[in-house]
Amino acid sequence: MASPAKESLITYSQLSDLEKEFDDVDREIIRYQAELTRPLYEKRQKVVDQIPNFWALVLEQAPPEIDGHIHPSDSQVLLTSLTSLWVSRFEIENGGTGNPRSVAIRFEFAPNAYFEDTVLEKKFWYRRSKGGWGGLVSEPVDIKWKPGKDLTGGLLSMVKAVWDEEQAAAAGSNGAAKKGSGELTPKQKALKNKIENTGVGGQSFFAWFGYRGKAVSAEESRITAEEEQQQRQLRATSSSSADQQTKEAAEDEDDDDEDDLEIFPDGEMLALAISDDLWPGALWFFTQAQEEEEDGQSEDDFESEEEGDDEGDDDAPQDGSPGARPAKKRKA
Amino acid sequence: MASPAKESLITYSQLSDLEKEFDDVDREIIRYQAELTRPLYEKRQKVVDQIPNFWALVLEQAPPEIDGHIHPSDSQVLLTSLTSLWVSRFEIENGGTGNPRSVAIRFEFAPNAYFEDTVLEKKFWYRRSKGGWGGLVSEPVDIKWKPGKDLTGGLLSMVKAVWDEEQAAAAGSNGAAKKGSGELTPKQKALKNKIENTGVGGQSFFAWFGYRGKAVSAEESRITAEEEQQQRQLRATSSSSADQQTKEAAEDEDDDDEDDLEIFPDGEMLALAISDDLWPGALWFFTQAQEEEEDGQSEDDFESEEEGDDEGDDDAPQDGSPGARPAKKRKA
């Protein structure tokens, strides 16, 4: 290593620090964006509340990252009962100073044949692990299925039961019996077997409510962020870039165990697809759905009845259709 | 239409106006983002200038929307001579009040065996057409290929010649002889034949410099935006949503002719992939490339030589590797 193939005076730490500066700006952009768009989302909600099946149609029209997880039986539930969808940056609302990357996704349902719940809300916290990983983690949300209607085949309840058991154990023994540490409990074993026998490809959309993600506590995340901050400052004020960062190099050791108990490995991706793509682009997806069905009867579905005549109807779909799909990608 | 299948009081115009409000906010976000990130990009440039082949490696590691357009011969040019890449929101720089969606992508090259140019800059203007379309248009940028080295097989020069001819005709006859109006000139015919015989799938990356996009002038775009603005205000102050917008319904008539003379139909998509994905995520893509080659010799490529010893080398790739790929999607 004393004579690299090509000479360069840049270290990984320098690149890493630079990336974190971008990351800081990105957080500020998300915060600003949330602030500016919130009144618009509220306005949109009032409008789309008047369009039957708006959110179900948007979900159906969604990109494959989302649509691919919606099976025919899921689709039936959504089309017959989903009345509202709302995405919030809950850690920065009402003056909160948390992470703007954390999101809550809230579904409201009309009474239906599948479950008792009228609200299902799934929260995702943005966390940083000691090993350098950053991403969304969550807690299982159980669904009160009606008899014989559980689209997850019992899996969701098992995940919730394991979670509750782990929380109780952690509370009782000061965190010693956390997930992934040591032997599996009978409930964990049963869940692991069930997951192995079910496979993860054909999971119902509703199994997503069981997504947990990496076992990174708020505490670990906070400490990681603080330490990184200190190291950046140290490096910024030090002329040498010699590494004072052995701690960062720690690997996340328990990846394998975690994956064994994860019922929805794509959970974070699906959450991001909903919060960053479907939610901001909902009007666009809806208009697309309408245009595809233009020749069918559903063109009329949300025509104004107020006008009461035929004038302008032919033009309407073009008038209102957005010029182009909203940009999907944006990054500081 | 007097009795829609499902009753709803929402019109396409209302949805369209709402989308445009989101669009306004989105522009403001892009503007703010450009302002906040500019100093960081300048800092990054100073750092990556010291890493040999940085941008060529990033392009190779790019997502398929980009990488799929880089053929082996393109790759050779880029790896041997690309020294710098820079993306700017040129319409809002230096106090400009233009559209923050317009981008300029500038490549710098070392002297090389393929062409004489040391700088190739491609500008994309965000335009709105009367027919409701919105997107990036551009002008062909010619490349001074060395003899026998033209990777586009003469196509790029033909596109440029047709463009120049059109500009001259438009200047001479007050815009009457614009692209797509009436019969093709001999140069246009030759270009059309050449494109038909070449096919567009296997185009060199450098053919992208010939992308034009829709023939929407700055004037048409400005008028469209103004009219839309007026209509929105009218609707906002009028209790009836009856449509005063027959103009908007005009279709873009000349799509087919335009496509005939377009040598790089994916041009806008490639521009957006570079400006919105590769450019902000460059450090991430680079680190990915390093990690993939971790076992090979290139791990050392940008190790600091300053340290002069082996300590910490094993940890380095983990220390500096970013926690997660930067979010690709963001939208107001």
Side-chain angles (χ1 to χ4, degrees), chain B residues 130-168:
Chain B
K130 287 196 300 267
W133 174 88
L136 296 176
V137 305
S138 188
E139 296 177 1
V141 172
D142 206 3
I143 296 178
K144 293 188 203 69
W145 298 101
K146 293 185 176 173
K149 294 292 190 180
D150 186 344
L151 295 175
T152 71
L155 210 41
L156 190 52
S157 304
M158 289 174 79
V159 173
K160 182 66 163 66
V162 163
W163 171 268
D164 290 343
E165 185 183 60
E166 287 168 11
Q167 298 306 109

Side-chain angles (χ1 to χ4, degrees), chain A residues 1-16 18-22 25-26 28-34 36-37 40-41 43-44 46-48 50-54 63 65 89 101 126 128 131-135 239-243 245-246 248-251 272-273 276-277 280-281 283-284 286-287 290-291 297 299-310 312-324 326-332, chain B residues 1-16 18-23 25-26 28-34 36-37 40-41 43-44 46-48 50-54 63 65 101 126 128 131-135 239-243 245-246 248-251 272-273 276-277 280-281 283-284 286-287 290-291 297 299-310 312-324 326-332:
Chain A
M1 312 282 170
S3 61
K6 289 166 193 163
E7 292 176 21
S8 162
L9 303 177
I10 304 302
T11 65
Y12 278 101
S13 306
Q14 283 174 280
L15 293 189
S16 176
L18 195 48
E19 277 206 297
K20 291 194 179 101
E21 285 189 63
F22 275 99
V25 167
D26 205 31
E28 163 61 14
I29 303 284
I30 300 174
R31 196 202 52 69
Y32 184 57
Q33 187 169 43
L36 288 192
T37 50
L40 283 183
Y41 285 131
K43 192 169 172 183
R44 183 180 75 179
K46 284 194 192 118
V47 169
V48 305
Q50 299 172 63
I51 301 174
N53 280 330
F54 179 84
E65 302 97 280
R89 306 269 161 191
R101 290 204 175 91
Y126 188 87
R128 299 290 316 277
W133 175 87
S239 61
S240 152
S241 55
D243 295 8
Q245 22 155 277
T246 41
E248 276 188 59
E251 271 281 7
L272 289 172
D276 293 2
D277 199 7
L283 290 175
W284 188 87
F286 177 73
T287 319
Q290 294 298 314
E291 281 175 4
Q297 62 152 35
E299 183 188 356
D300 300 328
D301 282 4
F302 76 112
E303 282 296 324
S304 166
E305 205 180 35
E306 272 181 331
E307 321 294 359
D309 63 48
D310 282 353
D313 271 343
D314 288 340
D315 291 337
Q318 267 146 30
D319 288 346
S321 70
K328 280 179 64 182
K329 298 167 183 173
R330 173 100 10 89
K331 172 88 187 20
Chain B
M1 311 283 168
S3 61
K6 288 165 193 163
E7 291 176 21
S8 161
L9 303 177
I10 304 302
T11 64
Y12 278 102
S13 306
Q14 282 173 281
L15 293 189
S16 176
L18 195 49
E19 277 207 297
K20 291 194 180 101
E21 285 189 65
F22 275 100
D23 200 60
V25 167
D26 204 32
E28 162 60 14
I29 303 285
I30 300 173
R31 196 202 51 69
Y32 185 56
Q33 187 170 42
L36 288 192
T37 49
L40 284 183
Y41 285 130
K43 192 169 172 182
R44 182 179 76 179
K46 284 193 192 119
V47 169
V48 305
Q50 299 173 63
I51 302 174
N53 279 330
F54 178 84
E65 301 98 279
R101 290 205 175 91
Y126 187 87
R128 299 289 317 276
W133 174 88
S239 61
S240 153
S241 54
D243 295 9
Q245 22 155 275
T246 41
E248 274 188 60
E251 271 283 5
L272 288 171
D276 293 1
D277 199 6
L283 290 174
W284 187 88
F286 177 74
T287 320
Q290 294 298 314
E291 280 175 5
Q297 62 152 34
E299 185 189 355
D300 300 328
D301 282 4
F302 75 112
E303 281 297 322
S304 167
E305 206 180 34
E306 271 180 333
E307 322 293 359
D309 65 47
D310 282 354
D313 270 343
D314 287 341
D315 290 338
Q318 269 146 29
D319 287 347
S321 70
K328 279 179 66 181
K329 298 167 184 174
R330 175 101 9 90
K331 172 87 189 16

Side-chain angles (χ1 to χ4, degrees), chain A residues 154 179 188 200:
Chain A
K179 186 174 94 164
Q188 288 175 326
V200 288

Side-chain angles (χ1 to χ4, degrees), chain A residues 44-172:
Chain A
R44 183 180 75 179
Q45 201 74 350
K46 284 194 192 118
V47 169
V48 305
D49 274 352
Q50 299 172 63
I51 301 174
N53 280 330
F54 179 84
W55 287 107
L57 289 168
V58 167
L59 280 162
E60 295 277 330
Q61 192 64 26
E65 302 97 280
I66 298 172
D67 183 48
H69 290 292
I70 301 177
H71 296 234
S73 46
D74 301 326
S75 187
Q76 216 180 333
V77 182
L78 297 170
L79 273 170
T80 55
S81 59
L82 180 64
T83 55
S84 179
L85 179 81
W86 185 265
V87 172
S88 59
R89 306 269 161 191
F90 65 95
E91 291 205 291
I92 56 167
E93 291 199 334
N94 305 316
T97 56
N99 198 312
R101 290 204 175 91
S102 298
V103 291
I105 304 177
R106 179 188 160 97
F107 300 77
E108 291 182 25
F109 296 91
N112 65 72
Y114 293 85
F115 44 72
E116 305 291 346
D117 310 84
T118 54
V119 173
L120 293 175
E121 185 177 49
K122 182 124 179 102
K123 282 184 167 183
F124 296 85
W125 289 265
Y126 188 87
R127 299 262 166 87
R128 299 290 316 277
S129 83
K130 288 196 300 266
W133 175 87
L136 297 176
V137 306
S138 188
E139 296 177 0
V141 172
D142 206 4
I143 296 178
K144 294 188 203 68
W145 299 101
K146 293 186 176 172
K149 294 291 190 179
D150 186 343
L151 295 175
T152 71
L155 210 41
L156 191 53
S157 304
M158 290 174 78
V159 172
K160 182 65 163 67
V162 164
W163 172 267
D164 289 343
E165 184 184 61
E166 287 168 11
Q167 299 305 109

